């Protein structure tokens, strides 16, 4: 049904195009795809970070790929397991109360203690042990292990007012009582499931935003969001499916904004099991062995992928081909690695060499409601592998079912499609999560869907964890990426794009971390 | 009457227990809520701690007992996404859905009854054929497609009505309603029409069939022979006789409009319970899904009770006490 809706939306998008009215100055209405959590410490999702960035400040912030100070003006490592942050003086909360180190300590403590939180922001605090308030403008964070990425990850912790948020419940945040921050906008109103309204904070310490008022309208359905923009009900919409964006380009009243994302997409093999129900002979009987343990078969799958066609046809240009397990925007992206070839003839030959001249039966698994075009990608991969002689089945399923079967120790699928994004812009979380050996007792490689294991890589990742020099970190990661490229546990496909569409007359910067921020929008000059 | 109400109460309670167990097990089987929130930054310690906190590390039957225990004290769990009690989250959305379903039902009855009566009296006229043709469309066109077409025609192309959302609301008895503002009606109209389509078609066909059937019966011929005005025969005698199936269908349709306005609410971004359910299922917000089903069971139980009482009022032959046995 989803695809039909999307197809309809594009069909009508072309028909329409008269509705969009001129931009109402001073106010921007943004059609968003997700329900916000107004409590900035509840439910650590990129979409929630986007919402809280408007109202709350954080110690650091990432802008244009660079780490900058927000409520902190400087920071340095004062020991192997200690970071010190100097705070910005003369900052006031929306209620006029002064900001101090106590608010930072309170916020960090609240993040770890907030009960009933399925995805906690404490994930950004690493092995934090305790917080030391040195003076009102100095704070020290002590960790159990060296945490070289702490200044980056702490950008995802919102600093709330200790006075307003002490003992506050979700209802207190929803009513605005506890929603007191230092950000560019102040809370105005929240109607659950429908709208979130903000007004400009004129006492904001940073760049003054262009809008006096920001209204977020929650419209989860892609087609409805597009219709709302076409009718002029909203000024800007996020998460536009690439195919729709391609059609909307033809509309003179609209502006399409496309930018690169950190999220990259790839296929994973099952390298662990000796036999898998999704690998059969051509007649559908269990094959009894796992062909993916042979690197020639893995290489054949990679050679069968026509990445250029995926980018231009499936993703309508809103993607970029990659040749490794990282995004080109990451500093650790290894530019010395060769592009990955598309060569179905060679792929067939490799299959024959590996003992499968007739191919074999294989099911590819994907989610169908998580990434742009994930369901279509499933079919595409199926067709491309059928072209080199495999008997393909395609199974796309809702993310709620799919993702519980992907990570080890379950790792049920033989071949699957996955995306991985990292808001910090390092390759290391992906390497630690998916490439490092899975070890249930030592808790490593928790998302290693392939069951890949390479002792040399594990050793280098161990070294990376203790390294704090950015240049050396990049070198280590580049080396690991080269090793992964040799072994092909994953088949890199493309890096995605962030697609937003607005009325003509609004300038908007997309962000690689996929956050939709009103501060990135302004009336076009 | 009292024993009837009592036995209904017991039935409803049993139903609630059975449904809660089925839904709980069903959602459990779908998958692990934690897995849908896969995040690159979550360490193993944090994942384990969260699992423990939410009780997700326990086996199914223990999780259910824990849920049932707190359910007895009125706590159906805390929503994973809204961080508020699940029942509270659902009841918060109830007024929006209630208002939408009521308007849709009024449209369906207000148009469906006259149209069905007319089609029943003049089954061969061009008008009736048009009405019946429309009712076939009402049955067979998929709701989301009609919804999108309504948006495209009336909101995007003509620009008469807004595409999505609820518009201005007025607090009545402490609850937000949009039927009391013009802006509210502008937002309400399209989703209500969309939602009314199916029950409208149903009521048209049911009314027509009833009228056609009753017109041939002796009492109608007798009344006509007595010289009673045709309009009086139709509106008083025939309508009364076809009322029982109509009430049943109206009651059931109203129940499903309330509980499963999912598609309409999602397409029109109407902040009601249906949209809440879709969002909850999508990210396995188990407490909300389970609580939602339980609230739905209650809604249907109450509606069925009202329908049964209405039977007794409409048809003197029906005795409530006997029906219960």
């Amino acid at each position: 049904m989803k695809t039909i809706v999307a197809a309809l939306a594009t069909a009508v998008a072309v028909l329409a195009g008269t509705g969009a009215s001129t931009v109402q100055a001073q106010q921007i209405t943004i059609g968003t795809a997700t329900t916000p959590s107004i409590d900035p410490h509840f439910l650590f999702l990129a979409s929630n970070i986007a919402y809280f960035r408007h109202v709350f400040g954080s110690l650091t912030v990432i802008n244009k790929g660079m780490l900058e100070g927000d409520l902190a003006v400087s920071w340095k490592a004062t020991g192997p397991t200690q970071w010190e942050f100097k705070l910005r003086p003369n900052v006031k909360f929306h209620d006029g109360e002064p900001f101090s180190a106590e608010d930072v300590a309170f916020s960090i403590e609240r993040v770890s203690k907030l009960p009933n939180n399925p995805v906690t922001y404490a994930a950004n605090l690493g092995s934090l042990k305790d917080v030391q308030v040195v003076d009102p403008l100095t704070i020290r964070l002590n960790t159990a292990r060296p945490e070289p990425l702490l200044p980056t990850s702490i950008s995802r912790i919102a600093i709330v007012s200790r006075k307003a948020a002490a003992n506050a419940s979700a209802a207190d945040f929803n009513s605005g009582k506890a929603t007191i921050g230092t950000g560019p906008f102040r809370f105005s109103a929240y109607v659950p499931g429908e709208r979130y309204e903000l007004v400009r904070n004129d006492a904001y310490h940073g760049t003054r935003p262009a809008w006096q008022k920001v209204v977020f309208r929650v419209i989860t359905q892609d087609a409805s969001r597009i219709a709302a923009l076409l009718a002029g009900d909203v000024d800007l919409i996020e998460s536009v499916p690439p195919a729709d964006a391609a059609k909307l380009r033809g509309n003179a009243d609209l502006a399409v904004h496309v930018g690169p994302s950190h999220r990259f997409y790839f296929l994973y093999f099952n390298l662990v099991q000796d036999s898998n129900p999704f690998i059969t002979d051509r007649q559908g009987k269990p094959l009894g062995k796992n062909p993916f343990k042979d690197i020639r078969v893995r290489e054949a799958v990679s050679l069968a992928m026509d990445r250029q066609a995926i980018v231009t046809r499936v993703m309508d240009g809103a993607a970029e081909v990659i040749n490794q397990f990282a995004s080109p925007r990451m500093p650790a992206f290894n530019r010395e690695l060769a592009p990955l070839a598309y060569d179905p003839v060679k792929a067939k030959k490799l299959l024959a060499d590996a003992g499968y001249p007739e191919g074999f039966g294989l099911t590819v698994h994907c989610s169908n409601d998580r990434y742009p075009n994930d369901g279509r990608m499933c079919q595409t991969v199926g067709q491309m592998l059928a072209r080199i002689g495999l008997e393909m089945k395609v199974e796309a399923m809702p993310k709620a079912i799919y993702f519980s079967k992907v990570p080890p120790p379950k790792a049920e699928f033989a071949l699957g499609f996955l995306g991985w994004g990292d808001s910090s812009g390092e390759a290391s979380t992906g390497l630690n999560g998916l490439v490092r050996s899975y070890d249930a007792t030592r808790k490593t490689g928790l998302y290693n869907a392939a069951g890949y294991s390479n002792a040399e890589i594990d050793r280098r990742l161990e070294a990376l964890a203790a390294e704090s020099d950015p240049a050396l970190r990049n070198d280590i990661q580049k080396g690991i990426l080269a090793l992964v490229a040799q072994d092909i546990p994953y088949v890199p496909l493309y890096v995605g794009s962030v697609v937003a569409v607005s009325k003509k007359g609004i300038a908007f910067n997309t962000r690689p971390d996929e956050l939709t921020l009103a501060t990135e929008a302004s009336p076009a000059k | 009457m009292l024993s009837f109400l009592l036995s209904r109460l017991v039935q409803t309670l049993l139903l609630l227990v059975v449904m809660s167990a089925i839904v709980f097990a069903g959602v459990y089987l779908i998958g692990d809520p934690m897995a849908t929130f896969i995040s690159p930054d979550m360490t193993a310690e944090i994942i384990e701690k969260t699992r423990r906190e939410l009780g997700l590390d326990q086996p199914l039957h223990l999780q259910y007992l824990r849920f049932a225990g707190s359910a007895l004290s009125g706590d159906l769990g805390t929503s994973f996404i809204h961080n508020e009690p699940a029942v509270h989250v659902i009841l918060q959305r109830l007024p929006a859905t209630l208002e939408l379903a009521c308007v849709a039902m009024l449209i369906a009855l207000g148009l469906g009854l006259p149209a069905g009566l007319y089609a029943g009296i003049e089954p061969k006229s061009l008008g009736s054929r048009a009405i019946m043709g429309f009712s076939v469309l009402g049955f067979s066109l998929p709701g989301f497609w009609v919804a999108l077409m309504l948006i495209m025609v009336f909101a995007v192309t003509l620009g008469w009505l807004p595409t999505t959302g609820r518009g201005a609301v007025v607090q009545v008895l402490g609850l937000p309603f949009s039927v009391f503002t013009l802006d509210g009606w502008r937002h309400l109209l399209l989703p209500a029409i969309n939602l009314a389509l199916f029950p409208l078609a149903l009521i048209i066909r049911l009314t027509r069939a009833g009228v056609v059937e009753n017109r041939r019966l002796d009492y109608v011929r007798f009344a006509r022979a007595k010289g009673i005005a045709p309009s009086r025969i139709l509106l008083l005698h025939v309508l009364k006789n076809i009322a029982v199936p109509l009430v049943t269908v109206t009651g059931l349709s109203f129940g499903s409009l309330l509980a499963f306005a999912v598609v309409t609410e999602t397409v029109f971004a109407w902040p009601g319970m249906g949209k809440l359910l879709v969002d909850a299922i999508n990210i396995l917000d188990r407490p909300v899904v389970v609580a939602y089903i339980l609230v739905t069971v209650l809604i249907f139980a109450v509606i069925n009770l009202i329908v049964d009482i209405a039977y007794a009022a409409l048809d003197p032959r029906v005795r409530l006490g006997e029906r219960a046995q």
Side-chain angles (χ1 to χ4, degrees), chain A residues 338-371:
Chain A
L340 295 173
Y342 167 59
D343 190 346
V345 178
K346 190 177 171 202
K348 269 188 191 160
K349 189 179 169 296
L350 281 171
L351 275 183
D353 291 349
Y356 306 98
E358 300 295 313
F360 52 89
L362 176 66
T363 308
V364 54
H365 285 86
C366 313
S367 57
N368 58 13
D369 56 353
R370 174 63 186 86
Y371 312 115

Side-chain angles (χ1 to χ4, degrees), chain B residues 149-179:
Chain B
M149 284 300 122
L150 286 173
I151 291 181
M152 285 328 296
V153 174
F154 292 102
V156 175
T157 309
L158 296 173
W160 294 347
L161 296 166
T163 48
T164 50
R166 197 171 172 208
V169 292
V170 174
Q171 299 283 331
V172 178
L173 303 171
L175 295 173
F177 285 100
S178 48
V179 283

Side-chain angles (χ1 to χ4, degrees), chain B residues 21 26 36 42 65 108 124 131 138 170 175 179 187 218 220 255 285 295 300 317-318 320 324:
Chain B
T36 60
M42 283 174 87
L65 285 180
K124 296 220 165 68
I131 289 172
V170 174
L175 295 173
V179 283
H187 282 86
D218 289 346
V220 174
D285 191 349
V295 169
F300 271 95
R317 289 168 299 182
V318 175
L320 287 178

